[in-house]
Amino acid sequence: MFFVARNRNVAGQGNERRSIYQKFRDVDLLDKKKTVTALKPGEDRAIFLGLGMILSSVMMYFVLGITILRSYAESVWTEEGVCVVLNSTVTADMNCSYNCGSECWRASKYPCLQVYVSVNNTGRVRRLSHNEESQDTSSECVYVPRCQKDRVAMHVIVMNISEHLKVNQQVPCYYDPSEQQEAVLLTRLYDHRVVFHSLLWPSCMLTGGALVIVMVKLTQYLSRLCEEIGKIKR
């Protein structure tokens, strides 16, 4: 009887230990399930964030490609040189129109400043223009101010440019190496510095989105690897 009772006590203690172990294991599995359940939406949101960043950067690349990059690629004023100012005179007043309200336009005038320069002291005389927009707007004037009602303000702007060119006889400029364009530009709207800075932020966004997705996938892989190692040890 003593041995039977003892065996029953041992069996009861073993069952109790297994029951306690099973409870702890169930709690551990429940915690793991809760952790996985909590991590899954966070991982999904992180992946969606990375994909959104990549999609936004691609759209920015597209917009920049049809605006800045296209203008930069189509520009013929690619060579930078030194222009020596030969002549700077105000020839006449040019007509322009400004917006005064809904479907309202009024006329105004600004002085036309013509500047002729010699490119790289080669003796080639070229007409100087401020940038591509000034060249497209007027083939005669070096600078076309924004048209406004105050003619005196536009006159002051043009005169300041004239005085600057008279003081600085040598200025950096851009010219067409194929010599198809007779005009040279004082500045370019989109040079290589502008292109670099415009592409910097989309590139950073694209890289950041890719890194977010890679980090999430790496975390998932390490999590599965830890689970497999834990199963092998058991």
Side-chain angles (χ1 to χ4, degrees), residues 159-172:
M159 289 299 102
N160 288 337
I161 297 175
S162 178
E163 291 297 327
H164 176 76
L165 294 176
K166 288 179 180 179
V167 173
N168 301 287
Q169 292 291 322
Q170 293 185 354
V171 293

Side-chain angles (χ1 to χ4, degrees), residues 198-234:
S198 62
L199 294 178
L200 178 62
W201 295 113
S203 301
C204 292
M205 185 177 294
L206 177 64
T207 304
L211 285 176
V212 169
I213 295 177
V214 170
M215 292 299 293
V216 171
K217 293 298 181 182
L218 180 61
T219 302
Q220 292 176 348
Y221 171 75
L222 293 177
S223 178
R224 289 194 298 267
L225 185 62
C226 290
E227 290 181 0
E228 292 177 0
I229 293 175
K231 290 180 181 178
I232 293 175
K233 288 183 178 180
R234 291 176 186 173

Side-chain angles (χ1 to χ4, degrees), residues 15-80:
N15 292 331
E16 184 178 358
R17 290 177 181 176
R18 284 195 297 270
S19 177
I20 294 174
Y21 173 76
Q22 186 66 31
K23 289 181 179 179
F24 279 111
R25 186 178 180 184
D26 292 340
V27 171
D28 186 38
L29 292 175
L30 182 61
D31 290 340
K32 288 184 178 180
K33 290 181 179 180
K34 289 182 178 179
T35 304
V36 172
T37 305
L39 289 177
K40 186 64 177 176
E43 292 174 351
D44 293 340
R45 285 193 292 268
I47 291 178
F48 288 146
L49 174 62
L51 292 176
M53 293 173 66
I54 293 176
L55 180 61
S56 299
S57 62
V58 171
M59 294 178 63
M60 292 176 67
Y61 278 129
F62 175 75
V63 174
L64 292 174
I66 62 177
T67 55
I68 296 178
L69 294 180
R70 182 178 179 181
S71 300
Y72 175 78
E74 292 179 352
S75 178
V76 297
W77 293 276
T78 57
E79 294 293 330
E80 186 174 1

Side-chain angles (χ1 to χ4, degrees), residues 22-143:
Q22 186 66 31
K23 289 181 179 179
F24 279 111
R25 186 178 180 184
D26 292 340
V27 171
D28 186 38
L29 292 175
L30 182 61
D31 290 340
K32 288 184 178 180
K33 290 181 179 180
K34 289 182 178 179
T35 304
V36 172
T37 305
L39 289 177
K40 186 64 177 176
E43 292 174 351
D44 293 340
R45 285 193 292 268
I47 291 178
F48 288 146
L49 174 62
L51 292 176
M53 293 173 66
I54 293 176
L55 180 61
S56 299
S57 62
V58 171
M59 294 178 63
M60 292 176 67
Y61 278 129
F62 175 75
V63 174
L64 292 174
I66 62 177
T67 55
I68 296 178
L69 294 180
R70 182 178 179 181
S71 300
Y72 175 78
E74 292 179 352
S75 178
V76 297
W77 293 276
T78 57
E79 294 293 330
E80 186 174 1
V82 177
C83 291
V84 179
V85 179
L86 301 178
N87 186 17
S88 176
T89 56
V90 176
T91 58
D93 289 336
M94 305 296 291
N95 295 322
C96 67
S97 59
Y98 63 93
N99 190 0
C100 57
S102 178
E103 298 182 357
C104 174
W105 295 89
R106 292 184 179 179
S108 184
K109 292 185 178 182
Y110 65 91
C112 179
L113 177 64
Q114 286 187 352
V115 179
Y116 290 92
V117 297
S118 175
V119 182
N120 294 333
N121 291 323
T122 57
R124 293 176 297 178
V125 179
R126 295 289 185 267
R127 182 179 53 81
L128 183 66
S129 186
H130 181 242
N131 52 31
E132 291 90 343
E133 286 186 352
S134 300
Q135 172 64 20
D136 294 336
T137 304
S138 176
S139 60
E140 300 294 333
C141 307
V142 64
Y143 179 72

